[in-house]
Amino acid sequence: RSSDLSSGINAEWPLRPGFEQDMATIRTRKFFTNRILNRRQMVVDVIHPGKPNMSKNDLKEKLATMYRTTADVIMPFGFKTDFGGGRSTGFALIYDNLDALKKVEPSFRLKRFLAKEDKKGGRRQRKELKNRKKKVKGKKKTEMGSCKRKKKKVPTATLR
């Protein structure tokens, strides 16, 4: 099969063992090594007959094995399924390391693929903080980051 494609790598595997209708083929073309951005970039063709499309996580794992890297430095995006199904085409970026990925990739794509951080505080606390920040200007907004309230001093009575 690699003879029909002059440049690129093919991978063919059943997604679930024993289910031949789940067979999928990945082909890469227009491969380019971008040394300035520390990444390899390519167009990815996925042939998936009998399956509506492939998940990007499966795609990341298979590209990682094809290009001998880890799945966390791969960014697949822009996949369009051809009319009638069975074939999708998109783009993939494989970074040299995670630092290069975080430095170059836009924030919306990082949010899509990297692990999500838990929000601190409850919904009501975040809303109150937002409204308190509206009332101050400049550096005080960043200093106001904590959701702590000022405690009132309780006068103590002295006994004689």
Side-chain angles (χ1 to χ4, degrees), residues 80-106:
K80 303 284 182 197
T81 306
D82 289 353
F83 182 74
R87 183 184 177 105
S88 299
T89 304
F91 207 70
L93 306 171
I94 302 175
Y95 286 88
D96 293 345
N97 53 40
L98 206 55
D99 293 333
L101 178 134
K102 288 180 181 176
K103 185 178 176 184
V104 175
E105 278 298 300

Side-chain angles (χ1 to χ4, degrees), residues 15 31 36 41-42 47 50 57 65 73-74 77 110 118 129 138:
L15 298 176
F31 184 87
I36 295 169
Q41 50 198 52
M42 66 207 76
I47 301 166
N57 285 331
T65 57
V73 295
I74 298 176
F77 63 96
L110 289 174
D118 292 336
L129 178 64

Side-chain angles (χ1 to χ4, degrees), residues 51-69:
K51 188 172 167 55
N53 56 18
M54 252 184 95
S55 74
K56 289 195 177 91
N57 285 331
D58 288 345
L59 200 59
K60 283 170 74 168
E61 290 170 13
K62 297 306 167 187
L63 283 171
T65 57
M66 287 164 61
Y67 286 96
R68 295 179 187 90
T69 184

